[in-house]
Structure formats: C-alpha cells, structure tokens
C-alpha cells in the first residue's frame, strides 16, 4: 500500500506530494488522504481516471512524526498546514481508512474551508485491527495473510509485505503504529457526525471486513448530506481494488462542484 507512485513527487515547504492540475479554471480541488498502511501510490488508479479536477496527494509522514503528535486532531492540523502552504482553496477531501477519519475531523474543525468529503473505508466509528503485537509480525506469510484482509481478492504483493514488515519489525515504528491505532479507536466520531454540513460521498466495499458495511450505514444515517454507494466484491480500499466503479460514483459528485465553481466565477466577473 505504500509502494512507488508512477507520478512525479514534488517537494515544497517541507512537504512531499503529488500535484496534478487541470486546464479548466473552474476545476475543483481534491486532496487525497491515505491510511495508516497507505501511501501516494494508493491513488494512482484514480488519478488516471479523473478529469477536470486539481489533485493534491500529500505523503503523510506518520512514522517520522513524534508519538505525541499522532492523534487525529493533530493530523487534521497537519493537513490544514499543507493545504495552506500550497494555497489550496475550498478543497474536497478524499480519505481512505485513517485518511477518512482525518477528513472528518478537518470538516468539523474548519467547516467553512472545505467544500465536501469523499470517504471510503473510513475509520472514525469502528475499525477491526490489522493484527497484533505477537512474534508472528516477523512471519512474512502471516503478514501477507493479514495484509490481504484489506482486499476482497489477494492483492498483497512482496513489496507490500516487505514494507509492512519494515514497520512492524522496527520497535519505534511499531510503537507509532500502535499509537495511531489507539487514537483512531479513542476518537469516535458518531456523536459529532450530525455537525458535518458539507456534502459527503460514501463509497464502500461490500466485503470490507476492516470497516464493515454497518460502519458505512451509520455514516449515512448520521451525516445530513451523505450519499452512499456500494461496490460488490470489494474490500477496504475500493479506489485501488475497483477504481472504475469508484470513479462512476465520484464523477457525478464532483461535477456538482465543477458547476458550482463555474457559477461563482461568473458572479465574480459581473
């Protein structure tokens, strides 16, 4: 899930990120947020398929941060700093797993500075553990089996297994991983969901066992402007496993913002 992205990675203001800009002056701004075992490459398939949008994908340095900073609130502030540093206006935040959790907190903290959310396999209510701290974390086949819980099909390759093991075999990184996991569990969003006023698109894998279907149902029930779409034969990372179906639901949602941006520019020019 870390992996190497095929897109050029920029470095600016202390951040590493992908930036893809549209020629359309009314294009909405998307900020993609990866999960705990995620990285820039998680969104390559979406970036190949989306048009008329500006895309920003920051590499969130979870395992380089201080343990004391590894909270949902701090990570939302980190994203806020990134957005401000790049001058991104009215972003739509697209978050997977932990990234969705961060997006939710951002929308609560800065309701006037976010246009909408796209959540897929988001934590924030219930998230089943990837694994535990037993000695089996050093067993490649065990790690492969656990990593494949992310997907409906067995998509975990050797590179992914090696990268997860590099985290779980490092005492410092493992402590940080556990700190992040505890933060997601403690930072339950259910009571705050009715306060999220922006449009929210939920795209969920029907076979997601990490954030199972009842999680998506609760998000849909509690968030006032939510719409929910299911993808069959799909697990915790629909944007990776079923990108074509994901984009089928994302495009109509994003077109609303494209029209809105166009209307705003017309008003400003009068």
């Amino acid at each position: 899930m870390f992996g190497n992205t095929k897109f050029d990675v920029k470095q600016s203001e202390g951040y590493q990120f992908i930036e893809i800009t549209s020629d359309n002056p009314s294009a909405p701004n998307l900020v993609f947020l990866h999960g705990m075992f995620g990285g820039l490459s998680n969104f390559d398939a979406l970036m190949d398929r989306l048009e008329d949008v500006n895309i920003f994908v920051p590499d969130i340095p979870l395992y380089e941060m201080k343990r004391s900073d590894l909270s949902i609130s701090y990570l939302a502030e980190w994203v806020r700093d990134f957005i401000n540093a790049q001058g991104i206006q009215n972003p739509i935040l697209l978050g997977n797993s932990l990234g969705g959790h961060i997006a939710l907190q951002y929308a609560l903290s800065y309701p006037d500075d976010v246009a909408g959310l796209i959540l897929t396999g988001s934590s924030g209510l219930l998230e089943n553990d990837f694994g535990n701290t037993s000695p089996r974390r050093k067993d490649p086949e065990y790690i492969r089996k656990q990593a494949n819980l992310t997907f409906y099909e067995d998509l975990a390759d050797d590179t992914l297994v090696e990268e997860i093991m590099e985290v779980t075999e490092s005492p410092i990184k493992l402590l940080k991983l556990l700190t992040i996991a505890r933060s997601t569990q403690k930072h339950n969003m259910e009571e705050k969901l009715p306060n999220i006023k922006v449009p929210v698109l939920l795209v969920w894998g029907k076979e997601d066992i990490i954030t199972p279907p009842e999680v998506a149902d609760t998000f849909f029930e509690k968030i006032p402007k939510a719409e929910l779409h299911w993808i069959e034969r799909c697990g915790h990372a629909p944007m990776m496993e079923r990108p074509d179906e994901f984009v089928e639901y994302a495009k109509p949602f994003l077109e609303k913002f494209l029209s809105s941006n166009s209307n705003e520019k017309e008003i400003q020019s009068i």
Side-chain angles (χ1 to χ4, degrees):
M1 272 177 264
F2 296 157
N4 294 316
T5 178
K6 65 181 183 180
F7 294 93
D8 291 336
V9 179
K10 297 179 64 174
Q11 296 197 32
S12 176
E13 305 288 337
Y15 300 99
Q16 291 192 96
F17 60 99
I18 298 169
E19 178 180 356
I20 300 174
T21 56
S22 169
D23 293 331
N24 188 335
S26 301
N29 296 317
L30 273 74
V31 177
F32 294 170
L33 303 175
H34 63 73
M36 193 184 310
F37 279 112
L40 298 176
S41 65
N42 290 184
F43 303 104
D44 280 9
L46 287 191
M47 289 187 280
D48 279 337
R49 291 164 170 79
L50 289 173
E51 300 174 347
D52 282 333
V53 292
N54 301 314
I55 297 174
F56 303 85
V57 191
D59 184 6
I60 307 173
L62 297 172
Y63 299 101
E64 283 73 51
M65 292 180 177
K66 299 177 182 177
R67 281 185 63 201
S68 58
D69 291 339
L70 291 173
S71 67
I72 299 300
S73 296
Y74 179 85
L75 293 171
E77 293 300 319
W78 185 93
V79 171
R80 169 76 167 178
D81 291 343
F82 167 76
I83 286 172
N84 286 340
Q86 307 314 316
I88 303 169
Q89 301 294 317
N90 298 318
I92 300 165
L93 305 182
L94 188 160
N96 173 240
S97 197
L98 172 68
H101 205 157
I102 296 169
L104 286 164
Q105 182 57 48
Y106 190 105
L108 289 167
S109 298
Y110 303 103
D112 297 327
D113 295 329
V114 60
L117 304 179
I118 302 176
L119 306 178
T120 183
S122 176
S123 59
L125 296 176
L126 164 70
E127 186 172 21
N128 293 319
D129 290 338
F130 167 80
N132 55 40
T133 59
S134 73
R136 295 197 66 189
R137 68 177 185 269
K138 298 183 179 181
D139 178 353
E141 289 311 308
Y142 173 75
I143 293 295
R144 186 185 305 276
K145 180 180 177 181
Q146 295 301 99
N148 273 320
L149 296 177
T150 301
F151 308 107
Y152 175 74
E153 299 176 354
D154 293 345
L155 299 182
D157 59 15
D158 290 342
T159 300
L160 173 58
V161 172
E162 290 170 5
E163 289 173 341
I164 293 175
M165 290 189 71
E166 193 269 331
V167 171
T168 59
E169 289 183 344
S170 164
I172 294 174
K173 290 184 177 180
L174 181 58
L175 277 173
K176 292 180 179 181
L177 171 64
L178 295 174
T179 300
I180 299 166
R182 291 190 192 104
S183 179
T184 63
Q185 293 166 359
K186 291 179 180 178
H187 200 97
N188 189 282
M189 307 291 287
E190 185 165 1
E191 293 184 359
K192 299 177 181 178
L193 294 178
N195 296 325
I196 294 175
K197 305 304 182 183
V198 297
V200 178
L201 173 66
L202 303 163
V203 182
W204 229 263
K206 196 69 173 178
E207 281 70 43
D208 187 345
I209 60 175
I210 296 176
T211 50
E214 55 264 31
V215 172
D217 286 332
T218 302
F219 277 132
F220 178 60
E221 176 188 347
K222 300 285 186 178
I223 298 173
K225 296 181 181 179
E227 59 178 277
L228 171 60
H229 299 281
W230 299 102
I231 298 181
E232 302 287 343
R233 299 170 62 85
C234 182
H236 186 57
M239 74 288 178
M240 296 174 67
E241 196 167 11
R242 296 284 186 266
D244 288 326
E245 292 93 329
F246 191 103
V247 169
E248 283 183 15
Y249 297 124
K251 280 186 174 180
F253 182 78
L254 294 172
E255 284 171 0
K256 301 173 187 177
F257 297 94
L258 183 64
S259 301
S260 174
N261 286 352
S262 178
N263 291 337
E264 286 180 9
K265 290 184 182 296
E266 289 176 6
I267 292 170
Q268 291 172 3
S269 66
I270 296 174

